[in-house]
Amino acid sequence: MTPQNLMLLPLSTPKLSIGCPILDHCLGGGGGIPCNSITELVGESGSGKTQLCLQLTVRAQLPPSHGGLGGSSVYIFTEFSFPFRRLQQLGNLYHASYPNFIRLEPLEDIYVHGVHDAQELIHVLGDIEAFIAIDHTRLLVKLIVIDSIAALFRSQYQTTPADLKRRSEMFFNISGTLKGLANKYGLAVVVTNQVVDFIGPHHGVNGVRLGNLESLGTSGRRVSPALGLAWAHCINSRVFLARYEQSIEGDIRNAPSTSISSQTHGTFHLVFAPHLAYASAEFVIKKEGVVGVSQ
């Protein structure tokens, strides 16, 4: 990298707005999920990770002037069945609000693929690069979502030193590939992660404080992001979605819009991100998606 090269770099990184000024503000100036990097959403089941990812895939189709990226999305799911019905509901809502930018069938600009193990993900990411390079889509691919990364490592690797080494190598292989795609094509990359119960001292994980929070809490439990420190060093930003009130409606992934209750509440924590201080905001999950709550 020479001084001349640096002069050619954009002054700011494009960002994908969440669609809520309160939550966008937590992610710094310009607000939103940054391109050219990996953003992780971590939280327990039902905390809103998938809802937020679905929201982002629709919003990505909006032009930059409206907080989008003017592009299509690739959504890789690793567990459960994909919530097509909920995505269609969000698409219909956004089409009604932005008829000139969101097509009547917004799912035509969202490419969905299921994977079942880490090695398959590596293969699929190679296919995605070829898919992007061919450039035969109506809108350029500008967002990749992996929901969730932790599910790929749940049972494939044991706790032996050899397996832990192989697992770490796979982490860096996956993250390196994702960062390469993000930088080469100007993409935003969002991955979701799960949490595990945490028992130990309050000053971080294994005595190591990583990010702005010493410990994470959700639904009255102390938790830690899955996959440990090795994976934490593979991502650029981490957002923790803490759930503090149980929704009486149950699983919302495929729930009809009329049954998504505003009683699903949580807190959006920016755990770490380049050059950003800690920030947080309350949120609620409504039929319109994940929305911040004014204090």
Side-chain angles (χ1 to χ4, degrees), residues 3 25 37 39 79 110 147 154 160 192 205 214 258 261 266-267 274 281:
H25 181 71
S37 66
T39 300
E79 54 183 347
I110 301 171
D147 184 19
R154 183 175 294 142
T160 64
T192 69
V205 180
E214 291 187 349
T258 54
S261 170
T267 305

mmCIF file of all heavy atoms in Angstrom, residues 3 25 37 39 79 110 147 154 160 192 205 214 258 261 266-267 274 281:
data_model
loop_
_atom_site.group_PDB
_atom_site.id
_atom_site.type_symbol
_atom_site.label_atom_id
_atom_site.label_comp_id
_atom_site.label_asym_id
_atom_site.label_seq_id
_atom_site.Cartn_x
_atom_site.Cartn_y
_atom_site.Cartn_z
ATOM 1 N N PRO A 3 1.299 5.670 -0.536
ATOM 2 C CA PRO A 3 0.499 6.873 -0.270
ATOM 3 C C PRO A 3 -0.486 7.169 -1.390
ATOM 4 O O PRO A 3 -1.594 7.633 -1.163
ATOM 5 C CB PRO A 3 1.559 7.966 -0.127
ATOM 6 C CG PRO A 3 2.782 7.247 0.339
ATOM 7 C CD PRO A 3 2.746 5.911 -0.341
ATOM 8 N N HIS A 25 -27.658 4.571 15.332
ATOM 9 C CA HIS A 25 -26.785 5.457 16.099
ATOM 10 C C HIS A 25 -25.789 4.662 16.946
ATOM 11 O O HIS A 25 -24.655 5.106 17.165
ATOM 12 C CB HIS A 25 -27.627 6.366 16.990
ATOM 13 C CG HIS A 25 -26.817 7.326 17.807
ATOM 14 N ND1 HIS A 25 -26.158 8.402 17.255
ATOM 15 C CD2 HIS A 25 -26.534 7.357 19.146
ATOM 16 C CE1 HIS A 25 -25.518 9.062 18.210
ATOM 17 N NE2 HIS A 25 -25.717 8.452 19.365
ATOM 18 N N SER A 37 -16.344 -5.611 5.895
ATOM 19 C CA SER A 37 -15.991 -6.212 7.176
ATOM 20 C C SER A 37 -17.056 -7.214 7.589
ATOM 21 O O SER A 37 -18.091 -7.348 6.932
ATOM 22 C CB SER A 37 -15.831 -5.133 8.258
ATOM 23 O OG SER A 37 -17.068 -4.511 8.526
ATOM 24 N N THR A 39 -19.666 -8.349 10.563
ATOM 25 C CA THR A 39 -20.397 -7.956 11.764
ATOM 26 C C THR A 39 -21.115 -9.175 12.313
ATOM 27 O O THR A 39 -21.835 -9.862 11.588
ATOM 28 C CB THR A 39 -21.423 -6.853 11.451
ATOM 29 O OG1 THR A 39 -20.743 -5.699 10.938
ATOM 30 C CG2 THR A 39 -22.197 -6.457 12.693
ATOM 31 N N GLU A 79 -29.516 -23.943 10.183
ATOM 32 C CA GLU A 79 -30.379 -24.717 11.070
ATOM 33 C C GLU A 79 -31.820 -24.290 10.877
ATOM 34 O O GLU A 79 -32.098 -23.222 10.349
ATOM 35 C CB GLU A 79 -29.968 -24.541 12.534
ATOM 36 C CG GLU A 79 -29.891 -23.101 12.993
ATOM 37 C CD GLU A 79 -29.402 -22.990 14.425
ATOM 38 O OE1 GLU A 79 -29.358 -24.008 15.127
ATOM 39 O OE2 GLU A 79 -29.052 -21.868 14.836
ATOM 40 N N ILE A 110 -33.172 -11.998 -3.256
ATOM 41 C CA ILE A 110 -32.565 -12.623 -2.075
ATOM 42 C C ILE A 110 -32.328 -14.089 -2.411
ATOM 43 O O ILE A 110 -33.274 -14.833 -2.695
ATOM 44 C CB ILE A 110 -33.472 -12.493 -0.836
ATOM 45 C CG1 ILE A 110 -33.743 -11.014 -0.534
ATOM 46 C CG2 ILE A 110 -32.835 -13.177 0.373
ATOM 47 C CD1 ILE A 110 -34.805 -10.791 0.527
ATOM 48 N N ASP A 147 -26.478 -17.545 8.984
ATOM 49 C CA ASP A 147 -27.333 -17.673 10.164
ATOM 50 C C ASP A 147 -27.564 -19.162 10.472
ATOM 51 O O ASP A 147 -28.406 -19.793 9.853
ATOM 52 C CB ASP A 147 -28.654 -16.958 9.878
ATOM 53 C CG ASP A 147 -29.612 -16.931 11.050
ATOM 54 O OD1 ASP A 147 -29.155 -17.135 12.189
ATOM 55 O OD2 ASP A 147 -30.818 -16.711 10.814
ATOM 56 N N ARG A 154 -21.259 -27.368 16.035
ATOM 57 C CA ARG A 154 -21.876 -27.898 17.250
ATOM 58 C C ARG A 154 -21.414 -29.316 17.559
ATOM 59 O O ARG A 154 -21.146 -29.661 18.695
ATOM 60 C CB ARG A 154 -23.397 -27.845 17.110
ATOM 61 C CG ARG A 154 -24.147 -28.303 18.350
ATOM 62 C CD ARG A 154 -25.638 -28.113 18.177
ATOM 63 N NE ARG A 154 -26.000 -26.705 18.085
ATOM 64 C CZ ARG A 154 -26.940 -26.235 17.289
ATOM 65 N NH1 ARG A 154 -27.584 -27.039 16.464
ATOM 66 N NH2 ARG A 154 -27.231 -24.950 17.284
ATOM 67 N N THR A 160 -10.556 -32.341 21.823
ATOM 68 C CA THR A 160 -9.149 -32.744 21.843
ATOM 69 C C THR A 160 -8.292 -31.617 21.271
ATOM 70 O O THR A 160 -8.776 -30.806 20.460
ATOM 71 C CB THR A 160 -8.942 -34.013 21.000
ATOM 72 O OG1 THR A 160 -9.260 -33.709 19.633
ATOM 73 C CG2 THR A 160 -9.836 -35.150 21.480
ATOM 74 N N THR A 192 -24.551 -14.642 12.421
ATOM 75 C CA THR A 192 -25.145 -14.749 13.752
ATOM 76 C C THR A 192 -24.404 -15.821 14.535
ATOM 77 O O THR A 192 -23.834 -16.756 13.967
ATOM 78 C CB THR A 192 -26.646 -15.088 13.689
ATOM 79 O OG1 THR A 192 -26.829 -16.434 13.215
ATOM 80 C CG2 THR A 192 -27.389 -14.122 12.782
ATOM 81 N N VAL A 205 -13.877 -13.425 30.064
ATOM 82 C CA VAL A 205 -13.870 -14.864 29.809
ATOM 83 C C VAL A 205 -12.457 -15.385 30.040
ATOM 84 O O VAL A 205 -11.508 -14.918 29.417
ATOM 85 C CB VAL A 205 -14.316 -15.156 28.354
ATOM 86 C CG1 VAL A 205 -14.309 -16.648 28.088
ATOM 87 C CG2 VAL A 205 -15.696 -14.566 28.105
ATOM 88 N N GLU A 214 -17.853 -6.530 30.429
ATOM 89 C CA GLU A 214 -17.122 -7.543 31.188
ATOM 90 C C GLU A 214 -17.865 -8.871 31.166
ATOM 91 O O GLU A 214 -17.265 -9.941 31.210
ATOM 92 C CB GLU A 214 -16.914 -7.067 32.627
ATOM 93 C CG GLU A 214 -15.952 -5.892 32.741
ATOM 94 C CD GLU A 214 -15.625 -5.559 34.173
ATOM 95 O OE1 GLU A 214 -16.304 -6.106 35.068
ATOM 96 O OE2 GLU A 214 -14.701 -4.767 34.406
ATOM 97 N N THR A 258 -49.557 -10.813 12.429
ATOM 98 C CA THR A 258 -50.509 -10.407 13.447
ATOM 99 C C THR A 258 -50.165 -10.980 14.806
ATOM 100 O O THR A 258 -50.678 -10.520 15.820
ATOM 101 C CB THR A 258 -51.924 -10.876 13.050
ATOM 102 O OG1 THR A 258 -51.890 -12.282 12.791
ATOM 103 C CG2 THR A 258 -52.400 -10.138 11.822
ATOM 104 N N SER A 261 -45.645 -10.163 18.787
ATOM 105 C CA SER A 261 -46.039 -9.292 19.875
ATOM 106 C C SER A 261 -44.953 -8.295 20.217
ATOM 107 O O SER A 261 -43.781 -8.597 20.180
ATOM 108 C CB SER A 261 -46.346 -10.148 21.109
ATOM 109 O OG SER A 261 -46.506 -9.341 22.241
ATOM 110 N N GLY A 266 -35.729 -6.348 24.158
ATOM 111 C CA GLY A 266 -34.329 -6.662 24.384
ATOM 112 C C GLY A 266 -33.479 -5.404 24.395
ATOM 113 O O GLY A 266 -33.992 -4.287 24.275
ATOM 114 N N THR A 267 -32.184 -5.612 24.554
ATOM 115 C CA THR A 267 -31.218 -4.517 24.516
ATOM 116 C C THR A 267 -30.161 -4.824 23.475
ATOM 117 O O THR A 267 -29.622 -5.929 23.425
ATOM 118 C CB THR A 267 -30.543 -4.310 25.888
ATOM 119 O OG1 THR A 267 -31.541 -4.123 26.880
ATOM 120 C CG2 THR A 267 -29.634 -3.082 25.850
ATOM 121 N N PRO A 274 -14.392 -1.433 15.361
ATOM 122 C CA PRO A 274 -13.237 -0.551 15.155
ATOM 123 C C PRO A 274 -13.563 0.913 15.437
ATOM 124 O O PRO A 274 -14.496 1.472 14.859
ATOM 125 C CB PRO A 274 -12.891 -0.765 13.676
ATOM 126 C CG PRO A 274 -13.449 -2.099 13.337
ATOM 127 C CD PRO A 274 -14.696 -2.221 14.162
ATOM 128 N N ALA A 281 -29.029 0.313 23.207
ATOM 129 C CA ALA A 281 -30.378 0.858 23.057
ATOM 130 C C ALA A 281 -31.381 -0.265 23.268
ATOM 131 O O ALA A 281 -31.113 -1.428 22.934
ATOM 132 C CB ALA A 281 -30.561 1.484 21.675
#
